[in-house]
Amino acid sequence: MKNIQMVDLVGQYEKIKDEIDAAVLEVIGSAAFINGPAVKQFQADLEDYLGVKHVIACANGTDALQIALMALGLEPGDKVIVPSFTYVATAEVIALLRLKPVMVDVDPDTFNVTAEIVEAALTKDTKAIVPVHLFGQSCDIEPIVELARDKGIPVVEDNAQAIGAVYTFQDGSRKRAGTIGEIGTTSFYPAKNLGCYGDGGAMFTNDDELAGKLRMIANHGQSRTYYHDVIGVNSRLDSIQAAVLDVKLKYLDEYAEARKKVAGSYDEAFEGVEAVQAPVRQPNSTHVFHQYTIRVRDGRRDDLKDLLAEEGIPSSIFYPVPLNKQKAFKPFVDPDLELPVTEQLCKEVLSLPIHTEMEERSVKDVAQAVGRFFS
Ligand SMILES: *Cc1c(COP(=O)(O)O)cnc(C)c1O
């Protein structure tokens, strides 16, 4: 059996090595390492790709979330609705800014928050909503944004995992995930769908005023050189990473197709396996399969993971513990909070290898190993 990996960044690099190497060497040769032309070019190209007015690059996806919340002018203690079933960064920045995370449950099929769930958690102190487009598909964002606008509450979409996914509105119009709320954020962590060769992130908005604030906060709150209007942070995407990303952006849709093909093969293979629930598609979003995450229904998820490991097949649990049960969040959440779907998912989810270079043979090997386990 060929060595199977969760992601194959070396194989991906080898196919575009000449372009990447040239782009990186050009930055080094120009010594424009910080805010150089490569950063401006990448921001402009990503604006075109996403169909959004402003892309503001920053140092990583966590910073993007933090800067987005800082730009909204919230006060300490203001409540921010966020799913508990997500990567820690989404809720961490809320607590860090002394805002109050209101952790909510998710839909058992799509693993995403819904307007109903958000509405049930709304109070007069709710000052922002941070939905996450988990594993590669947009949540049903239109009713969430409608509900929020109705109440004058901004929406920050955490789009670290679904860049490129397309959401279709009731009227048939389409937009890319992350460009629908007031601000969208993403991460260019290497293993993300659009990954650089280090750390990186970005914020998106169609609002000129918010764009100005985001830019200012990411740059020490500076309005012009050495004049600081607000307290900010230092969060930059360096030019070498921007050059890498600008090359990879051209392949992003192709990469999504490759992932989708792997997902389709897994789906087929798991049709007859009763204990395995394949990823359920959100009807009005495309899926870019940042992860291919199954639910193991018979309580044997951990045994399956062990068996796969014995056969040399890696797998990951995103996420093993609900954020509201994490030690770090103890001071921030109600100890009696019960989120039954999230609890169940943490016991049942398993993400299988999926990446842009994955061969049909490897997909079959993984699927057959899963099949053998349940036979
Ligand atoms: C990766 C990720 C982040 C954080 O991105 P970094 O670039 O690692 O800081 C935030 N939210 C979600 C959902 C993520 O998957």
Side-chain angles (χ1 to χ4, degrees):
M1 186 167 25
K2 205 177 160 214
N3 181 23
I4 297 175
Q5 299 165 276
M6 284 302 279
V7 287
D8 179 9
L9 296 176
V10 172
Q12 194 189 58
Y13 164 64
E14 277 164 3
K15 285 194 185 150
I16 53 171
K17 182 178 187 312
D18 291 349
E19 271 182 285
I20 294 272
D21 291 2
V24 168
L25 287 173
E26 191 182 320
V27 175
I28 296 174
S30 74
F33 297 118
I34 303 295
N35 287 328
V39 177
K40 292 184 183 70
Q41 187 62 51
F42 170 62
Q43 288 180 159
D45 290 340
L46 189 55
E47 282 163 5
D48 280 351
Y49 174 85
L50 293 172
V52 74
K53 209 162 167 195
H54 305 278
V55 166
I56 298 120
C58 65
N60 56 68
T62 308
D63 277 8
L65 285 160
Q66 181 183 330
I67 296 163
L69 290 173
M70 288 171 79
L72 297 177
L74 309 179
E75 301 286 342
D78 284 350
K79 290 183 177 166
V80 180
I81 294 176
V82 63
S84 173
F85 191 61
T86 178
Y87 183 55
V88 65
T90 325
E92 186 177 36
V93 295
I94 299 170
L96 192 69
L97 294 171
R98 296 291 156 203
L99 304 166
K100 191 173 181 339
V102 175
M103 293 191 189
V104 296
D105 221 345
V106 290
D107 178 84
D109 289 330
T110 63
F111 311 150
N112 277 327
V113 290
T114 64
E116 292 70 43
I117 291 169
V118 170
E119 187 162 24
L122 275 178
T123 67
K124 63 172 183 13
D125 302 322
T126 307
K127 294 294 154 70
I129 302 165
V130 187
V132 179
H133 304 309
L134 205 68
F135 298 153
Q137 61 184 345
S138 174
C139 63
D140 193 8
I141 190 78
E142 182 177 17
I144 294 175
V145 167
E146 267 176 6
L147 173 72
R149 294 216 169 122
D150 225 38
K151 313 255 181 220
I153 302 169
V155 171
V156 175
E157 301 171 68
D158 181 348
N159 197 33
Q161 299 190 5
I163 194 155
V166 176
Y167 180 84
T168 304
F169 290 79
Q170 291 291 321
D171 68 3
S173 62
R174 293 149 72 84
K175 281 189 185 164
R176 299 263 187 202
T179 68
I180 298 161
E182 273 58 41
I183 305 173
T185 66
T186 200
S187 163
F188 303 124
Y189 181 82
K192 296 282 156 82
N193 285 36
L194 180 58
C196 60
Y197 293 172
D199 274 309
M203 300 156 286
F204 326 130
T205 186
N206 284 305
D207 181 317
D208 297 341
E209 196 185 321
L210 270 178
K213 285 187 185 162
L214 294 169
R215 250 180 229 116
M216 198 190 280
I217 293 166
N219 185 27
H220 297 291
Q222 180 171 283
S223 53
R224 58 195 165 100
T225 308
Y226 303 129
Y227 289 78
H228 304 273
D229 293 6
V230 295
I231 296 296
V233 296
N234 173 23
S235 187
R236 299 186 283 240
L237 179 72
D238 72 67
S239 303
I240 290 179
Q241 299 306 337
V244 168
L245 287 164
D246 208 34
V247 172
K248 289 185 70 178
L249 178 59
K250 290 187 289 186
Y251 300 99
L252 185 57
D253 286 342
E254 214 175 280
Y255 288 159
E257 276 308 309
R259 290 171 177 276
K260 204 171 129 190
K261 200 159 156 256
V262 172
S265 303
Y266 275 142
D267 282 351
E268 242 173 73
F270 297 145
E271 251 165 41
V273 187
E274 211 182 308
V276 171
Q277 183 187 301
V280 177
R281 313 303 198 262
Q282 168 73 42
N284 42 13
S285 172
T286 61
H287 203 319
V288 295
F289 288 100
H290 175 58
Q291 299 296 342
Y292 184 92
T293 304
I294 60 171
R295 286 182 70 175
V296 181
R297 299 291 218 167
D298 67 351
R300 291 198 291 160
R301 189 266 317 265
D302 293 342
D303 293 341
L304 171 61
K305 189 175 192 327
D306 291 346
L307 172 114
L308 292 175
E310 273 168 34
E311 301 202 10
I313 298 169
S315 62
S316 298
I317 298 169
F318 305 118
Y319 297 91
V321 183
L323 288 186
N324 61 299
K325 302 283 181 196
Q326 293 277 4
K327 197 170 153 196
F329 284 103
K330 245 191 173 154
F332 300 94
V333 296
D334 175 358
D336 299 326
L337 180 65
E338 295 288 338
L339 302 174
V341 174
T342 298
E343 297 246 341
Q344 191 74 14
L345 291 178
C346 288
K347 291 185 190 117
E348 292 185 354
V349 288
L350 191 64
S351 295
L352 301 177
I354 189 166
H355 55 78
T356 59
E357 311 306 309
M358 197 161 174
E359 286 167 13
E360 193 60 36
R361 181 67 251 158
S362 301
V363 183
K364 287 218 163 72
D365 287 339
V366 177
Q368 277 164 6
V370 173
R372 274 199 301 280
F373 176 78
F374 288 109
S375 64

